[in-house]
Structures are given as C-alpha cells and as structure tokens.
Amino acid sequence: MPEHLPRRQVLRTAGALGLGAAAAGALTGPAEAAGTPDRLATMGAHHGKLEIGKAPFGTTPDGKKVDVYTFSNGRMTISMLTWGATIQRVETPDRRGRVKNISLGFDNLPDYAALSPYFGSTIGRYGNRIAKGKFSIDGNSYQIPLNNGENALHGGTLGFDKKVWSAKIVQSAKAVGVAFTYVSPDGEMGFPGELTSTVTYTLDRDDNLRIEYHATVKGKPTIVNLTNHVYFNLGGEGSGPIDGHVLQLNAPKYTPVDATLIPTGEIAPVAGTPFDFTKPTAIGARLRGDHPQLVVGRGYDHNFVLGGKTGADGLRFAARFWEPEDGRTITVHTSEPGAQFYSGNFLDGTFRGIGDRAYRQGDAFAFETQHFPDSPNQPNFPSTVLRPGQTYRSTTVYNFGTK
Ligand code: GLA
C-alpha cells in the first residue's frame, strides 16, 4: 500500500541515525516530522545500556497531544503510547539473535483510535465483561454503557484504553520505564467514585517487563480490575497463526461462560478438557475441537483460575508461552488470581498492523492477568470492590527469553 511507504522510509532513516528499530518506531505516525526524541537518558552499561526516549506520536481529534516513549535495555526495546498507556512495540531477539517486534499494534494514532481491539492497551476501570453492564455496591445500582452485545466490556464505550494518560519517566540502576497516571472522574462510564490509577511499566536488565498497578478512589466505593491487553505473536507480529505456540498454564480450573461470554458462576476443573494446559501443549492442538466452551468462545476466550499460592514477592507463576521455531518465550508471573487467555478469535483481517500485514483470526494471543470477569455479580468470585482509604495494587511480570 503506497501510503505506508513513507513510514517505512522514516523507520530506515531513524535506524541509520543509530536510534534502533524501536526508537525509529517512536518517530512514526502523524508527528513523524517532529524528529529526534527530546530526551535520551542513559544509565550505565553492564549487559547493555538502559535508555529511554520520548517523541510526539500524534494529536487526538479533541486536541490532546500523544507521545511515544521508547525504552531499551540494549537487548530488547519497548515502545509505549500515552494513548491508553499502550504497549505499541516489543522488540526481542530470537534464539539466533534476530530481533523482531512481537506485539500487535499500529504505527499511527488514527488507527488506534478507530480500529484497535485493545492492542497493548491498559484496560480499566473494569477489565473484561460485566453482565448487562449492571452491578451494585452497598445497595446502590450502577449502569455501564453496553459495548459488547448486551454486556459491558473493558470499562465501557470509552474505557481507559481510549484516554490520554500523563506520563513520567522512571529510572533506576536496574530498570527503566514509564509511570502512567489517569484520573477517572466520579460517574465516568457509570462507575462511582473518582479513581486515580497509576500503572508503571519498567524493563530491567534481565528482560523483565514489570507492570505495577496502583489505584485509589475518592468519594464513593467502586470496582476496579486493571489489566493490559497486549497481543503477542512470538514469531513476530503479522507472521501468521499462533497454533504452534506451546503453552503451559498454572491453572487447574477455569470459569466456563454462557453464550455472551459471561461466566456461569461455575469454577470448573480443566482436567480432561481442552482447557488443561497444566503440561506444555500447543495452543492449536485442541483449538478446533467440538468442546462447547470452545464453540461459544470461537476458541480460547476464558478466565483461568491460577493455582497455588503467591510467593514472598506476592507473585506466582501463571504461564509460559514458547514458539518452537524461533525459540522466543514469555513467562508470566502475577499477583492476580486469574488471567483471561484469548486466542485472538475476533481478529478478522479487516485491518493491517504496524508491519503492514493483515491480522487474521488466531494470529496472536492475549494473556490478561486480572480478577475474574463479572466479579461484581458473582458472589463466589474474589471481590473487586475498592473503598475510599483502601489501595488497589496488582503486579504482573512478563519475562522475555529464548529456548
Ligand atoms: C478480551 C475478551 C475477548 C475480546 C478481546 C478484545 O480478551 O474476552 O472476548 O473482546 O478482549 O477483542
């Protein structure tokens, strides 16, 4: 597509300036002419330099400026937007050292605003579905706008993924990244209480992307369930189906859903079903079977209940993904009780991503660490209520490796 050519040229030019592919990505989009990042901080150089840069990415229709931050540990590079506190690119080497972007996304703001199915987005105020968008706290009823058939999904029509977050660079001797903050007013999308959320994304020298969520509410109790909806393809974004990725999940149970993907309330064992990933198994091995839950989900689109207890650091092993051909791995640890494993079922090829290739069904997976969907209406699920004076905290660590 000819209109994509200039963007690629910009990528090459920025690469030639020694900014690296991901930093070059930071220069793409409507504001690409703006040039070099206005800040480049370097912090020591043991196994590679910790660096971070910032560049303009575009302007929203209502005039808000959006920036892209690009941070690197010398081996891998991550770009994030202030739009939706979005992970735009994740560049990692494979087992032979070939670097590719493994995260689905776009190179321009209009595509994010118009098309993105939550690519890399920070999701709030409530990740996943709330049945009919209704819930109550202390006898007061609330209604979230419906945006997924008869249900509310990912915080309603204008969730945190569509907000411009403020950003602050975070750096230490060990890690570099960005703390994003968004203040959601009382009543926004129907949710009670003014919620201040800060989500800090840092990359360390050991290839850990650590995501720390923090939120407090003023005025009224509310519900909170923050997550990130990054889509990965460990063979490179746009490289085809993820059926061959091998998955190991620390999840002895999952929460089956009804036809609208709302949990039935049952917490079911995975044993003997296609939901059993307790031993490493290819994602595609049972994906096209006739299990009724795979039929309603059009694949995997389910909350898994994580097993065991959290360790001294408050985290537990949740999942390991491995792409055998190029050898990339992602290992996830989290403080959350569950995770939505989504096999990219609703990608349908209608739009092209950052590498100018169409994303089709099953071309990526998402692994959204979280409390269970529809918890506000499910008395047997862990509570997602946050009251004034309390602090919501959640941590998820993605480790990127090769095998
Ligand atoms: C979550 C949902 C899926 C889908 C994606 C976004 O993973 O569970 O059903 O809506 O978000 O497309």
Side-chain angles (χ1 to χ4, degrees):
M1 295 183 68
E3 76 262 28
H4 286 96
L5 267 177
R7 289 189 199 130
R8 279 207 218 96
Q9 279 163 2
V10 168
L11 282 177
R12 277 200 296 272
T13 311
L17 289 173
L19 292 175
L27 301 177
T28 62
E32 60 196 22
T36 345
D38 64 13
R39 178 174 176 154
L40 204 65
T42 301
M43 290 145 284
H46 288 300
H47 307 288
K49 281 190 265 181
L50 295 176
E51 286 184 310
I52 184 158
K54 170 187 163 187
F57 188 71
T59 306
T60 64
D62 59 349
K64 293 200 179 77
K65 300 239 178 294
V66 172
D67 291 322
V68 54
Y69 285 82
T70 296
F71 42 103
S72 170
N73 65 3
R75 200 180 95 92
M76 57 176 294
T77 308
I78 294 173
S79 293
M80 291 198 65
L81 311 178
T82 53
W83 170 265
T86 295
I87 299 175
Q88 185 212 13
R89 303 167 72 99
V90 176
E91 308 221 333
T92 68
D94 68 6
R95 71 161 85 81
R96 290 197 273 161
R98 292 172 306 187
V99 175
K100 274 189 190 167
N101 173 27
I102 59 168
S103 137
L104 274 58
F106 296 111
D107 62 3
N108 67 91
L109 188 59
D111 280 359
Y112 273 103
L115 304 175
S116 179
Y118 310 97
F119 286 152
S121 309
T122 296
I123 303 285
R125 183 177 303 198
Y126 195 92
N128 212 277
R129 293 176 178 78
I130 296 176
K132 312 232 165 31
K134 285 188 203 306
F135 65 95
S136 56
I137 306 174
D138 301 343
N140 299 311
S141 305
Y142 301 100
Q143 176 70 56
I144 313 307
L146 308 183
N147 60 340
N148 188 249
E150 60 189 47
N151 301 317
L153 176 67
H154 297 328
T157 37
L158 282 176
F160 292 4
D161 58 293
K162 296 179 184 67
K163 303 292 178 184
V164 179
W165 295 56
S166 66
K168 217 176 98 191
I169 289 178
V170 173
Q171 53 190 60
S172 71
K174 290 190 182 138
V176 62
V178 182
F180 295 94
T181 297
Y182 176 69
V183 181
S184 171
D186 177 21
E188 186 181 52
M189 289 290 106
F191 291 101
E194 180 190 280
L195 186 78
T196 300
S197 306
T198 296
V199 188
T200 307
Y201 290 79
T202 51
L203 176 67
D204 71 14
R205 294 183 188 279
D206 299 319
D207 299 332
N208 294 304
L209 172 64
R210 188 177 180 92
I211 311 178
E212 289 178 325
Y213 304 83
H214 177 282
T216 52
V217 69
K218 268 198 233 159
K220 294 173 191 146
T222 192
I223 52 167
V224 191
N225 195 22
L226 305 178
T227 189
N228 183 287
H229 204 306
V230 60
Y231 289 67
F232 288 115
N233 182 319
L234 300 186
E237 60 80 33
S239 69
I242 47 116
D243 289 34
H245 286 42
V246 173
L247 169 60
Q248 181 177 10
L249 265 179
N250 173 23
K253 294 179 184 152
Y254 77 115
T255 53
V257 290
D258 69 14
T260 70
L261 303 184
I262 293 291
T264 60
E266 189 193 352
I267 296 183
V270 296
T273 77
F275 293 84
D276 189 352
F277 285 95
T278 52
K279 294 198 181 65
T281 308
I283 291 172
R286 301 158 301 185
L287 185 60
R288 286 166 187 79
D290 61 358
H291 191 284
Q293 284 294 313
L294 288 176
V295 176
V296 292
R298 300 177 55 170
Y300 296 102
D301 192 354
H302 293 79
N303 171 66
F304 285 78
V305 178
L306 299 176
K309 293 207 164 65
T310 54
D313 58 358
L315 307 179
R316 65 181 139 192
F317 169 66
R320 182 170 296 121
F321 296 85
W322 175 49
E323 196 281 303
E325 267 181 49
D326 292 346
R328 289 189 187 82
T329 60
I330 293 182
T331 307
V332 188
H333 285 79
T334 187
S335 62
E336 286 297 306
Q340 185 83 2
F341 169 51
Y342 172 59
S343 54
N345 317 325
F346 297 110
L347 297 172
D348 64 3
T350 48
F351 44 76
R352 308 171 78 79
I354 196 165
D356 203 18
R357 293 163 68 95
Y359 297 143
R360 302 224 165 91
Q361 188 177 24
D363 278 359
F365 69 86
F367 189 72
E368 305 144 65
T369 53
Q370 58 182 22
H371 273 52
F372 308 167
D374 198 35
S375 295
N377 298 307
Q378 307 270 355
N380 60 327
F381 290 178
S383 171
T384 52
V385 173
L386 179 73
R387 295 183 180 276
Q390 297 179 329
T391 301
Y392 168 93
R393 280 198 183 85
S394 169
T395 301
T396 293
V397 180
Y398 289 96
N399 177 265
F400 299 87
T402 56
K403 181 180 135 183

